Amino acid sequence: RGGYVNLKGHTQVVAARFLPNGELVTVGDTSVRLWNPKTGRAEKVWRFNEAAETLCCSPDGRFIACGVRDGLVFVYDARSRQQVAHWQAHADCEQGPLVQFFADSTYMLSAAVYTCKLWSTRTVQLINTWDTTLLTSLHIAADCTLLAIGSSVGLVTIHSLPDGNAKRQLHAHQAEVWAVAFSPDRSLLVTAARDDAEGLKVWATEEWEMLQVLRGHVAAVLDIGFSPDSSQMVTCSIDRTLRVWRQRPSTGGGSGAASLGGAASTGTWRCENILVGHGDVVLTCAFSPDAKGIVASGARDGIARAWRLADVPQITAADAAAHGVAFP
């Protein structure tokens, strides 16, 4: 149907994230790859002896980090493309730690099993450590004051940063919380869980009240990404599709649940398009931070895609029926 570039090289793609300059980084199998999404060429490949499982790019564009099985973390300079650090972040850990940088790259968070650790990016010194629930997902708010941790039992714990104190616990779902994401303006938190009939949930961060349930995916949602202005969201699923959601202005005068959490929380979210064509489970998705309307995705079959939303045709009833999905 058009509107995308295929990026081939992995045997599976478990995470995809953008650098601020629009370059795309993917991780899967035993490698991390840096792509030019316009040409579809891999400009750099880093390889490991163990499975590379998690990924993050610093918001200031300086660093790329990945979590490798057995609790290892590797950090690369995005400009020189040289390795600047690697260390054993978590012991007795048979997974790649979840990782995310603070906004200015000064600190990096790693998390695995029950433990979160805050590190100095420059010295790799451990700054703080704390325990939480058995974690399945995490996201740091853009202002670096809050951390959301998704758990294996449906709970979402909100920690303050950098102290790590637990501020609130949301009984968000009934099963593993596979994805959590703050909107860039921090007014919203979106959560998704395994086999949850209620689908995605949108929460206002001011009072931590649920604003809306977003239905449409016919299987579990695995990742969530926001556009830079917080007005759009992309989600991906075991159902092999991505959905693009847009927030519609409120027409109810600003009262009621939909008005909680500030101006950006007013209005409701609606699916405006479905991105189809992946041949396997879509494991990851992300919005480009440069406001050019580019979305990245990666699937279990090893194919990553860069989608230019303005060029992706609107899904039709026939397309939806052919792919076994409902729209709207």
Side-chain angles (χ1 to χ4, degrees):
R1 295 175 64 243
Y4 63 84
V5 174
N6 275 338
L7 310 173
K8 299 180 179 180
H10 289 288
T11 57
Q12 70 168 350
V13 181
V14 296
R17 296 293 182 260
F18 284 99
L19 287 163
N21 64 3
E23 289 181 310
L24 177 64
V25 187
T26 59
V27 64
D29 43 71
T30 57
S31 69
V32 173
R33 295 170 186 259
L34 176 65
W35 304 87
N36 182 328
K38 294 180 181 178
T39 64
R41 293 181 57 187
E43 298 184 344
K44 179 67 177 178
V45 180
W46 296 279
R47 300 187 185 277
F48 309 96
N49 294 325
E50 299 288 342
E53 298 180 336
T54 65
L55 171 70
C56 68
C57 298
S58 63
D60 63 5
R62 294 177 60 194
F63 298 110
I64 298 164
C66 69
V68 175
R69 188 173 295 171
D70 292 335
L72 299 172
V73 172
F74 289 77
V75 180
Y76 298 91
D77 185 297
R79 297 184 182 95
S80 70
R81 302 177 183 177
Q82 299 300 308
Q83 180 179 304
V84 295
H86 78 278
W87 69 99
Q88 180 93 40
H90 297 264
D92 301 320
C93 171
E94 297 181 357
Q95 67 186 75
L98 299 172
V99 288
Q100 189 175 348
F101 287 102
F102 276 42
D104 63 358
S105 299
T106 302
Y107 303 111
M108 190 188 75
L109 183 84
S110 70
V113 194
Y114 292 98
T115 304
C116 296
K117 296 184 178 183
L118 188 63
W119 306 87
S120 165
T121 305
R122 184 176 62 86
T123 65
V124 196
Q125 179 181 354
L126 182 62
I127 305 298
N128 193 13
T129 182
W130 64 91
D131 290 335
T132 184
T133 55
L134 181 58
L135 58 90
T136 52
S137 55
L138 68 78
H139 193 242
I140 298 173
D143 65 0
C144 302
T145 63
L146 295 178
L147 165 69
I149 294 285
S151 77
S152 63
V153 293
L155 297 175
V156 175
T157 304
I158 308 300
H159 296 266
S160 59
L161 292 175
D163 55 47
N165 292 335
K167 294 185 61 175
R168 184 175 293 267
Q169 202 163 63
L170 307 176
H171 294 268
H173 299 275
Q174 301 299 313
E176 292 99 327
V177 181
W178 288 130
V180 292
F182 286 102
S183 59
D185 61 15
R186 216 204 76 167
S187 66
L188 302 174
L189 176 70
V190 179
T191 64
R194 178 181 66 84
D195 298 336
D196 194 328
E198 292 190 328
L200 290 151
K201 294 183 178 181
V202 182
W203 306 81
T205 59
E206 185 175 327
E207 300 293 338
W208 298 108
E209 293 193 33
M210 190 176 69
L211 301 177
Q212 191 178 354
V213 177
L214 306 182
R215 298 180 176 88
H217 283 292
V218 296
V221 171
L222 300 178
D223 204 2
I224 303 163
F226 273 96
S227 63
D229 65 358
S230 302
S231 69
Q232 288 179 286
M233 180 169 53
V234 62
T235 57
C236 64
S237 170
I238 290 175
D239 67 14
R240 304 186 179 191
T241 72
L242 296 95
R243 285 183 177 248
V244 180
W245 310 81
R246 184 179 292 274
Q247 192 175 45
R248 302 297 183 184
S250 174
T251 58
S255 61
S259 67
L260 294 171
S265 296
T266 60
T268 57
W269 291 84
R270 188 173 185 271
C271 181
E272 65 177 7
N273 206 358
I274 303 176
L275 310 184
V276 297
H278 273 295
D280 208 332
V281 171
V282 186
L283 298 171
T284 183
C285 61
F287 250 104
S288 174
D290 59 10
K292 292 184 178 180
I294 307 295
V295 164
S297 60
R300 193 167 58 186
D301 62 5
I303 302 297
R305 283 186 174 182
W307 309 76
R308 185 178 296 276
L309 295 183
D311 298 336
V312 178
Q314 181 67 40
I315 194 167
T316 65
D319 290 333
H323 289 87
V325 297
F327 182 79

